Amino acid sequence: MREKNTHNIGEVIRKLMKNPKLEEKLNELDALAIWDNLIGDALIKYVIKQKIYKGVLHVKLKSSPMRNELSYKKTELKQQINKQLGKPFIKDIILK
């Protein structure tokens, strides 16, 4: 006869969230979603690629003028992302 393998879903989620690698990946996904919301639909079309590596948001853009415009707001954008995440996760933003 088989044993019942039942667990409370809340317990399973709490155990998963304690995994540092998973927590970091979830923070990266949240930070990228916040970034997309901050720059908006009008500017997101200029983004070719975006990723987070070791706490640094790397954004590759199609337009040099757009890169210059966003470079003036880097500090403000970084602060807003970290504020919405509730912790200092993003250390820098690099625009290419």
Side-chain angles (χ1 to χ4, degrees), residues 41-49 60-63 66:
D41 292 335
L43 301 180
I44 198 75
K45 63 185 174 186
Y46 294 104
V47 174
I48 296 172
K49 185 178 177 183
K60 187 171 183 180
L61 299 160
K62 294 179 189 176
S63 167
M66 189 56 57

Side-chain angles (χ1 to χ4, degrees), residues 16-30 87 89:
L16 286 173
M17 291 304 293
K18 289 180 183 177
N19 182 340
K21 289 182 181 179
L22 179 63
E23 182 180 7
E24 172 129 2
K25 202 60 165 164
L26 290 173
N27 286 333
E28 287 178 11
L29 291 173
D30 289 342
K87 59 181 139 189
F89 183 72

Side-chain angles (χ1 to χ4, degrees), residues 27 30-31 34-35 38 74-91 93:
N27 286 333
D30 289 342
I34 292 167
W35 165 260
L38 288 175
K74 270 183 13 176
T75 304
E76 180 185 336
L77 291 167
K78 181 181 77 165
Q79 289 173 347
Q80 288 180 359
I81 292 170
N82 288 333
K83 182 179 177 184
Q84 289 186 30
L85 281 175
K87 59 181 139 189
F89 183 72
I90 299 294
K91 298 173 189 141
I93 299 174

